[in-house]
Amino acid sequence: SQTIHQWPATLVQPVGSPLSLECTVEGTSNPNLYWYRQAAGRGLQLLFYSVGIGQISSEVPQNLSASRPQDRQFILSSKKLLLSDSGFYLCAWSVRRGREAQYFGPGTRLLVL
Amino acid sequence: QKEVEQNSGPLSVPEGAIASLNCTYSDRGSQSFFWYRQYSGKSPELIMSIYSNGDKEDGRFTAQLNKASQYVSLLIRDSQPSDSATYLCAVKYSGAGSYQLTFGKGTKLSVIP
């Protein structure tokens, strides 16, 4: 069966510091990968998605970036965090084609102070 | 712009009652519909998927889809306090970018013992 991991689970960072969140998927090959952010009391916002190694599409202009160095690894980064970057960051995967759902990892809760 | 609308709630039902959650979507070219459950502080969990008009039952859950009216609903029979969560409706549209999901903001359900 497929498993998706995210770490760290919780992170408290000062404004202006860098960020690196990692997501890995097990039990599947060639998945689509996604990064979402969920701010307090708000809906899911798609940040980035990837259909393959090195292929990244950005949905929202911001100070975040994403990379996919391996088939089942997806990384979310920032060079300088803003207060507004606080939120619940979720990685998800889906099969490459078809009508199936996305499946979420456990998430990383980020607080920028 | 593709939209998915849900009543934010909270929806309160007594234990043992039927909870009815509704969702409307804007684009007729939709092909897949999903319901996710999200407990407070946790990531969304897929509970139902539906692709064709009509009803789909899974245990105490029934998803209903009406493409002509552009709505999808989730019924929870014999509601339990453990069903208290936010329920997210998600729609996958056909065409370019069809691997993306559009999420509603969710309906918060509270089951009263």
Side-chain angles (χ1 to χ4, degrees), chain A residues 9 45 55:
Chain A
Q45 180 186 34
Q55 301 179 62

Side-chain angles (χ1 to χ4, degrees), chain B residues 20-91:
Chain B
S20 178
L21 305 166
N22 300 313
C23 169
T24 59
Y25 58 95
S26 62
D27 193 332
R28 288 187 177 275
S30 304
Q31 55 178 200
S32 306
F33 307 85
F34 308 98
W35 284 99
Y36 290 82
R37 177 176 62 200
Q38 187 174 22
Y39 291 115
S40 180
K42 302 296 185 181
S43 62
E45 172 193 13
L46 178 70
I47 55 172
M48 289 290 286
S49 56
I50 187 167
Y51 307 105
S52 304
N53 279 329
D55 295 358
K56 178 181 178 182
E57 187 175 319
D58 184 0
R60 296 187 295 112
F61 298 98
T62 299
Q64 299 175 318
L65 175 61
N66 185 324
K67 291 187 176 181
S69 300
Q70 295 175 243
Y71 84 81
V72 57
S73 62
L74 179 70
L75 300 178
I76 306 175
R77 291 183 300 280
D78 188 23
S79 295
Q80 301 298 309
S82 59
D83 295 325
S84 297
T86 297
Y87 289 80
L88 304 175
C89 174
V91 176

